[in-house]
């Protein structure tokens, strides 16, 4: 596991450079990237669609899924798909990106898993999974004490509820995250300094510790403010 510390003003460009570089190294005919939500990735996504990256990224080979989503209409500004559309997807129509849809959150999770398998096979492996880190150590929508963290099933996508807001969510299960070739954890801001220090402490039991069982390489991209307690 690697920690890249970047000055805040270069954060978006540095992560976008890494994504384009990793995508360029994928030999498969299809590149699968799982997007993170929340606010941190927005500047990364915006940096993907400026030169030279917008010309370098193999958009036509890439499929984007959401590592988690809020159970709101995709026209709602809280939607992670809405944020991805708004920050970069609208500008790269050649690429394929899949929102989470369904009549209920439970059904949407089941359908999303089927869609992922349709594109990536029965044992899907994402080339890149982008993750954030919440103040409570959650990642994707895997919250502290969530039964999903210990669930011993073959499910790859599940529905759940935000412990504070009660908002329904759809999230990748730990095993789908852990199977990725590369995992980039994006952490920015002084309010994340404490939780980042805990997350990087061996033996912690935060939800982000699911990465202890990750198969692929993990890189934490953090800005200098979030790195203050490292
Ligand atoms: C979500 C995210 C979530 C996020 C963290 C960090 O849907 O909210 O996927 O896991 O990555 O909460 O969010 P910020 O980047 O806004 O701090």
């Amino acid at each position: 596991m690697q920690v890249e510390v970047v000055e805040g003003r270069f954060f978006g460009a540095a992560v976008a450079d890494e994504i384009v570089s990793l995508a360029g190294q994928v030999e498969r005919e299809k590149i699968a990237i799982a997007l993170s939500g929340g606010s941190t990735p927005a500047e990364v996504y915006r940096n993907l669609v400026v030169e030279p990256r917008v010309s370098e990224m193999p958009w036509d080979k890439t499929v984007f899924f959401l590592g988690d989503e809020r159970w709101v209409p995709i026209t709602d500004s809280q939607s992670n798909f809405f944020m991805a559309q708004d920050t970069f997807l609208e500008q790269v129509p050649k690429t394929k990106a899949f929102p989470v849809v369904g009549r209920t959150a439970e059904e949407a999770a089941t359908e999303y898993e089927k869609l992922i398998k349709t594109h990536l096979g029965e044992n899907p492996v994402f080339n890149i999974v982008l993750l954030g880190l919440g103040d409570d150590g959650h990642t994707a929508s895997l919250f502290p004490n969530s039964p999903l963290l210990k669930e011993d099933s073959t499910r790859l996508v599940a529905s759940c509820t935000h412990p504070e807001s009660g908002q329904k969510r759809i999230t990748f299960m730990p095993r789908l995250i852990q199977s990725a070739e590369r995992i980039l954890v994006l952490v920015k801001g002084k309010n994340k300094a404490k939780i980042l220090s805990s997350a990087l402490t061996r033996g912690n039991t935060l939800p982000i510790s699911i990465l202890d069982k990750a198969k692929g390489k993990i890189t934490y991209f953090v800005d200098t403010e979030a790195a203050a307690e490292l």
Side-chain angles (χ1 to χ4, degrees):
M1 184 263 287
Q2 198 178 342
V3 180
E4 292 290 338
V5 181
V6 184
E7 252 193 83
R9 60 202 173 105
F10 301 128
F11 184 85
V15 180
D17 282 341
E18 179 73 358
I19 292 169
V20 173
S21 165
L22 291 174
Q25 295 165 35
V26 175
E27 258 113 53
R28 275 184 354 200
E29 73 291 341
K30 191 180 279 186
I31 301 164
I33 299 178
L35 298 172
S36 175
S39 57
T40 302
E43 63 183 279
V44 174
Y45 300 159
R46 286 195 196 94
N47 272 275
L48 286 174
V49 285
V50 296
E51 290 300 351
R53 297 178 209 93
V54 70
S55 303
E56 291 168 353
M57 183 71 188
W59 299 107
D60 51 341
K61 284 175 57 178
T62 305
V63 289
F64 290 98
F65 288 85
L66 296 170
D68 75 319
E69 178 61 296
R70 292 81 179 273
W71 185 237
V72 294
I74 56 170
T75 51
D76 185 316
S77 61
Q78 285 189 77
S79 158
N80 290 333
F81 189 77
F82 178 93
M83 186 267 283
Q85 287 268 37
D86 184 51
T87 50
F88 79 109
L89 287 173
E90 274 165 354
Q91 300 173 56
V92 280
K94 279 184 290 186
T95 207
K96 290 189 190 63
F98 301 97
V100 176
V101 292
R103 271 176 320 112
T104 66
E106 293 70 22
E107 182 190 280
T110 304
E111 290 308 310
Y112 211 51
E113 176 166 334
K114 282 183 198 157
L115 188 64
I116 290 168
K117 288 180 174 176
T118 302
H119 283 272
L120 304 181
E122 275 306 300
N123 297 298
V125 172
F126 278 81
N127 300 103
I128 303 170
V129 168
L130 302 176
L131 293 175
L133 178 64
D135 297 342
D136 58 0
H138 81 258
T139 194
S141 284
L142 298 165
F143 297 102
N145 309 312
S146 166
L148 300 179
L149 292 165
K150 292 194 167 49
E151 181 179 294
D152 179 16
S153 78
T154 56
R155 279 201 303 179
L156 298 178
V157 183
S159 61
C160 60
T161 304
H162 191 289
E164 266 110 55
S165 67
Q167 185 182 58
K168 280 225 168 239
R169 298 283 188 101
I170 287 88
T171 186
F172 278 15
M173 288 289 282
R175 67 183 56 78
L176 185 53
I177 295 170
Q178 291 160 345
S179 65
E181 287 175 358
R182 293 297 303 272
I183 295 171
L184 306 183
V185 186
L186 316 181
V187 190
K188 190 169 185 232
K190 55 178 174 304
N191 66 318
K192 296 287 177 74
K194 200 164 191 54
I195 194 67
L196 176 64
S197 173
S198 305
L200 294 177
T201 302
R202 190 175 295 284
N204 77 79
T205 57
L206 297 168
I208 192 83
S209 66
I210 60 167
L211 299 188
D212 293 350
K213 293 189 182 137
K215 296 192 179 68
K217 186 176 173 202
I218 302 164
T219 306
Y220 277 77
F221 274 91
V222 305
D223 75 338
T224 44
E225 288 190 345
E229 296 191 21
L230 297 187

